[in-house]
Amino acid sequence: MRKYVILLLFLSLFICLNADYFVPIEDPVYDFLSMMENLKYLSQSEDIYPGYHADILDKLQKLKDKKLPASYQKLLEYHLERLKNEPSEGTSLAFYPFPKLKESIGEVWQPHSDKKHLATYKKDNSSFFLSGLLGLEYDIKKDDGSKLYRKREYYGLDFGGNFYDNFGFRVAFKKGHFNGDNSFIEENPDLSIMGNSFFKDDDTYYELNLNSQLDYKNKYLNLSAGYGTFGLGNTINSSIILNSTVTPYGYLKYYKKMGNFSYMGLTTQLIPDSLRNETDYKPKSMAIQTLGYTNEFISLTIGNTIIYGDRTLDLAYSTPLALYKIMDNKYHGRDNTSVFAFGKLAPFSGFSLYGNLFLDDLNKERLKTKYWATSLAFQGGVDYNCRSFPLDASFELTGVGPGVYTHKSNNIGYSNLRYSQDDELLGYEYGSNLLTFAGELTFLNKYFNVDVIYENIQQGNLANDPFGEYEKVEFLAESINRYQYLSALLEINYVPELNLSLEYKKDLQLSENYYIFSKIEFKY
């Protein structure tokens, strides 16, 4: 297995030279840019993650001409220094020449833009970087009187760059293993599933993570090929349209921005649910298209997503001229067609309203019955930013009907049309038939970030399992189960190369149940 990973890395490095690169979804720069949009220092943007490095850097450069409050100005300088990736001309190695080894070690703890990587190279318009990382994650879970733990140690590489102005790439790779209580380890959705069991050797569980993208751009489009996940729509926790917490998938993406308008198309082949290596399976693919409009006050995006089975990538679904319902009939109903919309309205500085809407096979006949909300999901919230310092408060309401994400799952032969991949929902991670209220308080600083989230979930006991038999029931039917969670996350970034994360999550219904997560990651 190791030789294949190494081969993949070298092939990526070689091939990706004809490819602007992405900035990871979890990067704190997205929260900062969202604050700048709310405060009207920037125009509204689409909520499609991850974004292109060049676009994000361009927004940061535009903010340099604005007169920002002191606390926001410090954050701007921090993100510019961290993301600009402007190495010195020629080749630079962190610990070479050896006589400067002592000096190099000292510079690890200084925010030098050309000393954040193990190696850099720059010549004319070409520049590349290579960083290594070491990490340790430790979890504690108190559940029903028992105390469980899991620990993961990992190492990895992060490398990328630009070959001229219109070619770029990025590859982020991690390899590690878990030790601890087996039942707790197997709750981790990121574990690779191989064969009939987890990737396990004796009492050790192994996990590999890889995100990559190569990109070619010109005045007509951005064309990308990559491996990873996407998020659509603004949300506190999980998007109802497309969330980024599932198993990564390989994709082809094309994107074009024309003034205030933009178009994005994405096509991918998914991993069928309950896939086992020795079992025959039906192909399962997904195509997404979005059309967006943005200005200073509003952003609005409409789109169409389709899960289709019994065939591999269908190029007909990857064009902006596809008429999905007609094609669904052509393929005898073997497609799960859904439409969605998401947007944000910022009427005045510091305040915005946002919403996400997802319609799963909705028809006009159902709108006249008591089952009108069966295949409808809505997510809406308000967001407020303090003007003088980077504190953000948001409140969100989510409602997901009992039939959302379960398209034709009660019919034999259509299980591969569920809105899922690798036994994970592509939509709202808590499932369906629920009503959720959430609140979030976020504080950003050059040295640390604090994020506090409260969630209150009410879920009906019928049709809330998208992987079970779908029954046509009313929204929040029968008995209601209620859950409350409170989580707090502290991220310390005293220097750009060292990150410490501490998260505490508590089930408010059961006073003894809690969850603690800690991570320390060193990157150079």
Side-chain angles (χ1 to χ4, degrees):
M1 182 67 187
R2 181 177 300 175
K3 65 181 180 181
Y4 292 115
V5 172
I6 295 174
L7 179 62
L8 177 61
L9 290 173
F10 279 103
L11 282 175
S12 299
L13 183 59
F14 178 76
I15 297 172
C16 294
L17 291 182
N18 54 340
D20 182 30
Y21 54 84
F22 67 93
V23 175
I25 295 175
E26 64 273 11
D27 197 288
V29 72
Y30 293 112
D31 288 330
F32 172 70
L33 291 177
S34 178
M35 289 182 176
M36 293 293 94
E37 292 169 9
N38 275 355
L39 295 171
K40 303 225 177 272
Y41 291 111
L42 290 173
S43 296
Q44 299 300 305
S45 64
E46 310 160 306
D47 294 313
I48 299 178
Y49 307 101
Y52 287 108
H53 176 267
D55 291 343
I56 291 173
L57 197 60
D58 180 62
K59 292 179 181 180
L60 294 175
Q61 294 288 354
K62 289 179 179 178
L63 288 170
K64 291 178 65 177
D65 301 328
K66 311 286 185 179
K67 189 175 182 180
L68 303 179
S71 56
Y72 286 107
Q73 183 65 35
K74 291 179 180 178
L75 275 173
L76 171 62
E77 294 169 356
Y78 166 70
H79 288 302
L80 271 172
E81 179 70 22
R82 187 174 60 87
L83 294 175
K84 66 182 181 181
N85 284 326
E86 294 182 0
S88 55
E89 196 75 18
T91 302
S92 175
L93 301 176
F95 300 113
Y96 186 83
F98 293 115
K100 294 186 177 182
L101 181 60
K102 182 177 179 180
E103 177 185 347
S104 298
I105 293 176
E107 288 180 343
V108 169
W109 310 104
Q110 300 176 19
H112 264 289
S113 61
D114 61 345
K115 287 295 183 182
K116 294 177 187 175
H117 307 292
L118 284 174
T120 62
Y121 172 80
K122 182 178 181 181
K123 183 178 181 181
D124 300 328
N125 293 326
S126 303
S127 62
F128 308 98
F129 68 88
L130 171 67
S131 292
L133 59 91
L134 296 173
L136 173 67
E137 298 177 357
Y138 188 82
D139 300 40
I140 296 176
K141 178 185 179 184
K142 184 69 177 296
D143 187 12
D144 296 329
S146 61
K147 193 171 184 178
L148 308 176
Y149 87 97
R150 61 188 179 196
K151 180 180 68 173
R152 182 194 183 200
E153 302 169 359
Y154 62 89
Y155 62 88
L157 292 174
D158 183 7
F159 58 93
N162 287 288
F163 187 68
Y164 298 117
D165 292 332
N166 60 338
F167 292 92
F169 76 97
R170 184 165 191 168
V171 177
F173 164 73
K174 293 181 184 179
K175 180 181 180 180
H177 60 272
F178 280 94
N179 293 111
D181 296 290
N182 291 355
S183 60
F184 189 26
I185 294 173
E186 293 184 2
E187 289 181 13
N188 180 9
D190 297 327
L191 281 173
S192 301
I193 297 179
M194 304 183 67
N196 285 322
S197 63
F198 294 103
F199 188 10
K200 183 181 179 183
D201 184 10
D202 294 329
D203 291 329
T204 302
Y205 292 75
Y206 292 91
E207 181 183 348
L208 299 175
N209 304 97
L210 176 67
N211 282 274
S212 62
Q213 180 171 294
L214 59 88
D215 185 83
Y216 170 77
K217 59 182 179 181
N218 57 31
K219 63 180 180 180
Y220 302 108
L221 55 78
N222 275 69
L223 180 61
S224 305
Y227 181 77
T229 60
F230 281 82
L232 296 178
N234 193 1
T235 178
I236 288 178
N237 193 353
S238 171
S239 171
I240 61 173
I241 302 170
L242 186 68
N243 76 68
S244 59
T245 62
V246 300
T247 302
Y249 38 80
Y251 60 85
L252 294 173
K253 183 185 73 167
Y254 40 97
Y255 174 83
K256 177 59 182 174
K257 190 170 180 64
M258 300 161 285
N260 291 341
F261 290 91
S262 64
Y263 175 81
M264 189 271 286
L266 182 144
T267 183
T268 176
Q269 187 167 9
L270 301 173
I271 302 173
D273 302 327
S274 304
L275 170 64
R276 296 295 178 256
N277 287 348
E278 73 282 359
T279 303
D280 291 334
Y281 64 94
K282 296 180 180 179
K284 181 177 183 179
S285 303
M286 176 175 68
I288 293 177
Q289 299 185 62
T290 67
L291 177 64
Y293 173 81
T294 61
N295 61 26
E296 180 182 358
F297 299 98
I298 191 172
S299 69
L300 178 63
T301 300
I302 58 175
N304 191 311
T305 179
I306 184 166
I307 303 291
Y308 56 98
D310 300 341
R311 58 197 186 279
T312 55
L313 295 180
D314 192 328
L315 295 180
Y317 285 122
S318 304
T319 70
L321 304 177
L323 300 175
Y324 285 142
K325 204 61 185 175
I326 294 176
M327 297 176 69
D328 188 11
N329 291 333
K330 168 69 176 175
Y331 287 119
H332 308 291
R334 293 183 294 172
D335 302 335
N336 178 2
T337 305
S338 303
V339 295
F340 59 83
F342 57 92
K344 186 187 298 184
L345 173 66
F348 52 85
S349 177
F351 178 82
S352 64
L353 301 166
Y354 66 87
N356 307 316
L357 178 66
F358 188 85
L359 306 176
D360 188 353
D361 207 38
L362 185 69
N363 58 64
K364 60 183 180 181
E365 288 78 14
R366 191 183 301 140
L367 289 175
K368 303 175 183 179
T369 71
K370 62 182 179 181
Y371 304 114
W372 64 273
T374 297
S375 300
L376 170 69
F378 174 77
Q379 194 170 56
V382 297
D383 196 355
Y384 176 76
N385 262 125
C386 293
R387 301 182 183 182
S388 56
F389 56 93
L391 179 66
D392 178 270
S394 55
F395 304 91
E396 182 177 281
L397 183 68
T398 302
V400 183
V404 180
Y405 315 130
T406 60
H407 184 79
K408 299 178 181 175
S409 63
N410 59 326
N411 295 332
I412 298 175
Y414 288 101
S415 61
N416 60 335
L417 295 182
R418 298 188 189 108
Y419 199 63
S420 58
Q421 183 204 209
D422 200 13
D423 293 313
E424 299 170 302
L425 279 178
L426 291 165
Y428 198 58
E429 64 179 0
Y430 287 121
S432 61
N433 199 13
L434 55 79
L435 183 68
T436 300
F437 170 80
E440 181 179 30
L441 195 65
T442 302
F443 178 76
L444 302 181
N445 187 275
K446 177 179 179 179
Y447 302 111
F448 65 90
N449 303 325
V450 178
D451 194 37
V452 179
I453 297 177
Y454 166 77
E455 298 173 275
N456 187 304
I457 304 169
Q458 302 181 59
Q459 189 168 45
N461 69 332
L462 287 180
N464 58 18
D465 179 9
F467 300 98
E469 293 297 308
Y470 162 53
E471 300 177 49
K472 187 180 290 185
V473 296
E474 296 179 67
F475 180 55
L476 287 182
E478 300 299 323
S479 62
I480 306 298
N481 302 308
R482 292 179 172 83
Y483 314 92
Q484 293 184 78
Y485 297 100
L486 179 67
S487 63
L489 174 65
L490 170 65
E491 291 187 311
I492 300 173
N493 300 286
Y494 185 74
V495 290
E497 296 82 9
L498 186 64
N499 174 272
L500 174 64
S501 300
L502 298 170
E503 182 179 7
Y504 172 81
K505 187 171 183 177
K506 185 178 181 62
D507 184 343
L508 298 179
Q509 303 298 111
L510 302 172
S511 59
E512 290 188 359
N513 285 21
Y514 62 84
Y515 168 85
I516 295 176
F517 170 77
S518 62
K519 179 179 79 170
I520 183 168
E521 185 173 279
F522 175 75
K523 181 177 180 181
Y524 186 74

